Amino acid sequence: MAVRRPLMALLAAVLLFGPAPAAVAAPAVPDPDGASVSAPRGQSDTDLPFTVGSPQQQARSAEALGRQPALPVPSAKLPGKPRNDVIQDVPVELTDASIPLNLIPYHDIPAALRALQRSDRISVEVIGQSVLGRDLHLVVATAPMSDAAWKSWQKLSDLRFSDPDAARATQAAGGYDTWRTPLFVNNNIHGNEWEGTDASLQVLRELAFSTDPEVVGMLDRHVIAFVVTSNPDGRVAATRANANGFDMNRDFITASQPEVRAVRAQLVRYSPLTMLDIHGYVSCTLIEPTTGPHGDNYEYDLYIRHALRNALAMEQAVLATGETRASCADGDGGRRADIPFRDRAQGWDDWPPIFTPMYSMYHGSIGHTIEVPLNPRGNLTEAERHERTRINTAVARASIEGNLRYATENRSALLANQLEWFRRGAAGEPTRPIDDPLALSLARGDNARTQPQGFPRAYVIPAGTGQRSETAAARLVQFMLDNDIVVHRAARPFTLDGTRHEAGAYVVDLRQAKRGLVNALLDVGRDVTNDFDAMYDISAWSHGHLWGATVQRVTANVPLDGKVLRPVTEARAAGSVAPGNRTQYGLVVDSVAGIQAVNRLLGDGVTLGRTPDGTFVVSARAAVVRPIAEAYGVDFTKITPPRARTAVPVSRVRLGVAANAGEIHALRQMGFAPISVTHTAFNSGTLSFADFDALFVSTTTFNPLGLDATRSAEFSRWLADGGTVVGRGSSGKLFNDRAGLLDVTIAAGRSDANGIVAVHNDPASPITGDALPTAFVDAPQYFTRVGDGVRVDQRLAAEGFFLAGHWGGQEAAAGHAVVVSGVAQGATVTLFGTEPLFRAHPEGLYPQVANALWQ
């Protein structure tokens, strides 16, 4: 084992470039046109008819923070107060992948946590469960506080968001001098990147039991929260993904996974000043901040001034371990870590908030990914494996300790920085360019370039009759509430910027502390193709354009009528059933909830049909449909007998899939029960075509040419008997060609291209007739030739189709078909060139897939 060093003795007393400057407030200069980059824009809070983020409107209650199952908070009034749970033992698993690495197996973590609980500085909470039911643990380290002290702490914590100006005045008057600043460390989100867990447990033992005056003093200054392992299923199984097959460090803006929702709740709960996410493995320890392009909705000038200095502090801590394999030569005879902002020109960007640290930045955190250096996987000797994990653990520990040291020495400046971040949001000011001399001097390439951004005045989400599904609106609003965003709802009709809106419409005021997250969720984004040649991951996402709700942007600098708007603490579509003693109802499906309702009814044995325009005819009495309306928030309407007679019977789809984990999860989310299929399983007799009504194919694991003669004949009969095939992407088209189905030719965009596109839908299409005007593409596919008998259901707009993302050579795809369908060999076939189920994110596109499966 490495020689242990005292927690506070890793760095020199003065950081390499000195402490970061405190945030400086900008002058309140009105700029209604938003023309100036450096001046604030629009009205201040005092100009509004209500105070943005007032306690009543913030609804920062335990109810708001604890809506998700298995995420309790300790007190209705003190959500930040740590809770000490009883930590139960779990069964021993001798196959735990941590054991051969000489790291702690999951079954030994409960005992380690109970040992920590012997210290009155430590609290351990169960904050949720993994997909397979393993507990997720949050350990909070701080000096003991009374309930009265926690009440005072909570008040000052909430003041940061409810009134940033008052919080800044309170800090200036010394009111935050003894307030304990929250810090956050997340570990093991990739299950086969283990060492952050072990390093955090080492740090926690020192925080729990050390008598070093500096350690004791640190606990008087901070509330330090550690997620011990956010992917215990992956830790045990040595998989990057969780048990649902999701890379959870791509899920934070979607939060489709229970582990992500559990960690998100804690980031909302504390809004920490710094946040570390411990990963591996990148030779020459990598410490963010990143290359560009930088997210437009961050207050990046405020972020980088501390992120860079904190990175330098952590770099020095890593170098102080003396582990030369953890660093690389700097060219001047010294050693360095890899800080992308300083050392790389592109390809490690912070553009999408899918990553844990990037998401945390929208809560005012200085977020860092830490990549420890040495991969212990693969064909290594036991000695080398253990040596690598020893070094990695030492590096992770040094990074955590370096961060704690920086946060302690710069506590007041970090808080001032966060309060300025939130103040700009509440004041409605534009973002600003980087002006920090150190950042400007160290930035490599264009990494110091940002695009100053003005924000809309508000977003309106209609939810009344005649709008797109109220369930989609309620789903989106509830998601925003779960992300600590303030939302209001109109108690009566109102007019905003010349547009009349009905009662019940949701209004999201951008004059709020976390306005950057609002805009990241609801705005479409922009085309960054020409900003940088290479991107690390996706370049576009949008709940406002891909989740199915109608979202209207208000750009004019107008006041909001506080007499009309009421704060929202929970959003839920009520659902309805047409009055009268009926035996048939109509159900329009344009949301995930609607798809779930149909599959529930079919599963319950209710008779359903579908009219040519896609309306479902439900043959049941009110007593049957009313519980469904209440459970899913859908509307069962009156339908006339002549229209009902046009319906074609629909049965529950027995679905086989050759698809990726995100698509399988999305199909399950819709209420389908997908079963994975391969040609090998059919050949062996494990599977039979008679057991399936439809196939969804997006991978090459099912090759129809790989079927033996008997199964090939069965497959041909299955097609002829009216089977349904839905193919997605190049693999779906390949399956189509191998099976001899639709006569189409496909072309591919760049494999690294992705983004949000504008599309035109065929109004007569049963698949896309009522689809959104936008879609998502990843490694885009588009059809350049469509043969006879093939319908074009959806095509890219002829001009300006690429709304947001990164796609070199996008022009070649303009106007081409991206969804086609037809009948071939007796089967109904649909091919998607878009990504309607991508990472379970674009929920507003799900109905297209469901429609294709229900044909």
Side-chain angles (χ1 to χ4, degrees):
M1 298 295 291
V3 176
R4 294 189 53 162
R5 294 171 170 79
L7 180 67
M8 304 307 293
L10 285 170
L11 298 175
V14 179
L15 293 174
L16 186 60
F17 289 93
V24 178
V29 181
D31 181 23
D33 297 325
S36 171
V37 167
S38 57
R41 176 173 180 256
Q43 299 172 335
S44 69
D45 271 354
T46 55
D47 297 318
L48 298 176
F50 56 82
T51 302
V52 175
S54 65
Q56 296 82 6
Q57 294 158 3
Q58 278 282 15
R60 300 184 52 78
S61 64
E63 178 185 0
L65 293 175
R67 273 183 293 271
Q68 298 171 61
L71 301 180
V73 291
S75 164
K77 295 183 179 180
L78 302 175
K81 180 183 176 182
R83 182 185 68 250
N84 236 342
D85 292 338
V86 175
I87 305 303
Q88 304 285 355
D89 283 329
V90 299
V92 172
E93 296 180 87
L94 297 180
T95 58
D96 189 313
S98 306
I99 296 172
L101 298 171
N102 201 29
L103 298 170
I104 188 168
Y106 179 77
H107 57 253
D108 282 345
I109 289 176
L113 298 179
R114 290 196 299 272
L116 290 171
Q117 285 178 311
R118 294 200 301 267
S119 168
D120 62 0
R121 308 169 185 173
I122 298 294
S123 301
V124 183
E125 303 177 22
V126 176
I127 58 171
Q129 283 75 41
S130 69
V131 170
L132 297 181
R134 293 184 173 96
D135 285 342
L136 306 172
H137 301 105
L138 182 80
V139 183
V140 178
T142 193
M145 283 201 290
S146 65
D147 283 349
W150 274 112
K151 183 176 181 180
S152 175
W153 183 93
Q154 191 71 60
K155 181 178 179 181
L156 289 172
S157 181
D158 290 350
L159 190 65
R160 291 180 292 166
F161 327 111
S162 62
D163 193 340
D165 277 329
R168 291 187 347 137
T170 300
Q171 185 186 26
Y176 278 96
D177 288 354
T178 59
W179 184 70
R180 300 184 189 181
T181 53
L183 311 174
F184 202 94
V185 179
N186 191 51
N187 296 296
N188 201 199
I189 191 169
H190 290 152
N192 61 354
E193 299 169 5
W194 291 268
E195 291 89 348
T197 295
D198 295 73
S200 286
L201 289 172
Q202 290 181 13
V203 172
L204 281 164
R205 281 195 292 271
E206 186 143 354
L207 293 174
F209 302 112
S210 175
T211 58
D212 185 321
E214 288 190 88
V215 173
V216 174
M218 179 188 299
L219 293 169
D220 285 329
R221 293 175 174 84
H222 305 295
V223 175
I224 312 169
F226 294 78
V227 178
V228 179
T229 166
S230 57
N231 188 0
D233 298 343
R235 183 178 186 84
V236 171
T239 59
R240 177 182 179 92
N242 71 346
N244 277 337
F246 267 72
D247 182 336
M248 295 189 292
N249 203 41
R250 305 293 184 273
D251 190 48
F252 264 80
I253 203 63
T254 305
S256 71
Q257 300 304 295
E259 299 95 334
V260 169
R261 292 192 293 272
V263 175
R264 179 190 67 181
Q266 305 313 309
L267 291 170
V268 167
R269 177 183 181 184
Y270 285 113
S271 291
L273 269 63
T274 67
M275 187 273 172
L276 304 186
D277 202 27
I278 311 296
H279 287 259
Y281 301 94
V282 175
S283 180
C284 186
T285 303
L286 185 143
I287 306 171
E288 290 182 343
T290 71
T291 68
H294 307 301
D296 285 345
N297 296 298
Y298 306 132
E299 303 295 336
Y300 206 82
D301 65 311
L302 297 177
Y303 167 78
I304 194 61
R305 65 173 62 180
H306 283 287
L308 186 55
R309 289 173 172 82
N310 196 18
L312 295 169
M314 288 186 278
E315 177 184 54
Q316 292 304 306
V318 170
L319 296 177
T321 66
E323 302 288 356
T324 56
R325 296 178 68 183
S327 60
C328 50
D330 65 4
D332 294 322
R335 309 292 296 178
R336 65 169 179 84
D338 181 356
I339 300 175
F341 185 89
R342 179 192 66 187
D343 301 325
R344 300 190 183 201
Q346 62 180 4
W348 199 291
D349 57 89
D350 55 38
W351 179 255
I354 58 177
F355 313 114
T356 320
M358 276 64 259
Y359 171 80
S360 77
M361 288 166 63
Y362 286 115
H363 297 281
S365 301
I366 307 300
H368 299 265
T369 296
I370 308 296
E371 299 274 356
V372 297
L374 303 174
N375 190 344
R377 306 184 295 257
N379 187 21
L380 302 170
T381 66
E382 180 180 82
E384 175 62 11
R385 252 195 328 271
H386 292 181
E387 177 65 1
R388 290 188 178 198
T389 58
R390 180 195 67 78
I391 293 172
N392 289 338
T393 302
V395 167
R397 176 174 176 169
S399 300
I400 295 168
E401 292 174 338
N403 169 74
L404 295 180
R405 175 65 178 267
Y406 181 85
T408 300
E409 293 184 345
N410 296 276
R411 190 171 65 92
S412 179
L414 279 165
L415 177 59
N417 205 64
Q418 187 184 67
L419 295 181
E420 169 64 6
W421 190 309
F422 294 152
R423 185 203 66 80
R424 290 183 189 176
E429 298 178 6
T431 60
R432 305 179 189 180
I434 296 172
D435 59 359
D436 178 62
L438 178 62
L440 293 172
S441 69
L442 292 184
R444 183 173 175 182
D446 286 334
N447 290 338
R449 177 162 56 93
T450 60
Q451 179 164 309
Q453 160 115 331
F455 291 85
R457 180 63 183 87
Y459 287 98
V460 178
I461 305 172
T465 303
Q467 301 296 335
R468 188 168 286 277
S469 174
E470 184 177 353
T471 60
R475 159 75 169 135
L476 177 56
V477 170
Q478 185 60 55
F479 186 86
M480 288 190 286
L481 295 173
D482 291 340
N483 281 270
D484 207 28
I485 290 170
V486 181
V487 183
H488 294 81
R489 197 170 195 185
R492 61 178 184 269
F494 67 102
T495 298
L496 183 61
D497 190 27
T499 300
R500 179 179 171 80
H501 300 280
E502 299 302 318
Y506 297 100
V507 178
V508 190
D509 186 0
L510 268 289
R511 305 282 174 85
Q512 58 177 291
K514 297 182 181 180
R515 57 91 184 266
L517 183 53
V518 178
N519 215 46
L521 293 178
L522 300 183
D523 190 28
V524 70
R526 64 180 176 90
D527 184 350
V528 295
T529 303
N530 296 322
D531 287 21
F532 285 79
D533 293 334
M535 301 288 286
Y536 187 72
D537 205 89
I538 64 166
S539 307
W541 63 93
S542 178
H543 303 64
H545 289 257
L546 297 174
W547 272 34
T550 300
V551 178
Q552 300 171 355
R553 182 183 175 106
V554 179
T555 57
N557 187 16
V558 293
L560 304 183
D561 187 353
K563 296 179 180 179
V564 171
L565 301 178
R566 304 290 183 269
V568 177
T569 59
E570 183 179 24
R572 184 178 180 276
S576 65
V577 177
N581 186 21
R582 304 183 183 280
T583 58
Q584 288 184 315
Y585 294 90
L587 175 61
V588 175
V589 172
D590 64 355
S591 68
V592 177
I595 303 169
Q596 292 170 337
V598 166
N599 280 325
R600 169 69 180 277
L601 289 164
L602 291 170
D604 289 346
V606 177
T607 300
L608 269 68
R610 199 167 181 229
T611 67
D613 69 356
T615 300
F616 282 87
V617 178
V618 183
S619 298
R621 293 196 176 275
V624 174
V625 299
R626 186 167 288 113
I628 303 298
E630 294 173 353
Y632 297 98
V634 295
D635 298 320
F636 291 91
T637 61
K638 178 181 176 181
I639 190 165
T640 63
R643 188 172 174 217
R645 284 194 289 271
T646 67
V648 175
V650 176
S651 59
R652 186 163 177 81
V653 176
R654 298 173 301 164
L655 179 60
V657 297
N660 63 45
E663 291 169 323
I664 292 172
H665 182 84
L667 290 164
R668 288 175 178 158
Q669 184 183 350
M670 288 184 264
F672 295 103
I675 297 174
S676 293
V677 300
T678 65
H679 53 273
T680 303
F682 283 116
N683 286 341
S684 68
T686 305
L687 298 175
S688 170
F689 287 103
D691 295 331
F692 299 101
D693 304 304
L695 297 171
F696 180 96
V697 181
S698 64
T699 70
T700 58
T701 54
F702 178 22
N703 178 2
L705 298 182
L707 296 171
D708 61 31
T710 300
R711 272 64 187 191
S712 181
E714 290 177 357
F715 179 50
S716 294
R717 287 194 295 273
W718 181 86
L719 293 170
D721 288 343
T724 297
V725 175
V726 178
R728 196 274 304 158
S730 59
S731 295
K733 169 60 165 56
L734 182 61
F735 181 91
N736 172 86
D737 294 348
R738 287 171 169 173
L741 301 175
L742 299 185
D743 178 21
V744 292
T745 302
I746 201 168
R750 281 176 42 165
S751 62
D752 63 346
N754 61 83
I756 300 171
V757 294
V759 296
H760 293 309
N761 298 300
D762 178 357
S765 167
I767 299 165
T768 62
D770 192 35
L772 297 178
T774 51
F776 186 81
V777 296
D778 182 66
Q781 310 289 312
Y782 52 95
F783 300 96
T784 54
R785 185 185 64 82
V786 178
D788 293 340
V790 179
R791 178 179 56 230
V792 174
D793 300 277
Q794 185 180 91
R795 65 172 68 249
L796 298 172
E799 295 182 2
F801 77 87
F802 195 61
L803 303 179
H806 193 280
W807 184 353
Q810 60 192 248
E811 301 83 5
H816 283 295
V818 286
V819 182
V820 297
S821 62
V823 176
Q825 299 187 40
T828 301
V829 182
T830 305
L831 298 178
F832 287 90
T834 58
E835 282 268 7
L837 307 180
F838 184 78
R839 295 179 182 171
H841 177 71
E843 294 183 7
L845 310 186
Y846 287 12
Q848 298 175 37
V849 174
N851 289 341
L853 292 173
W854 281 327
Q855 286 194 95

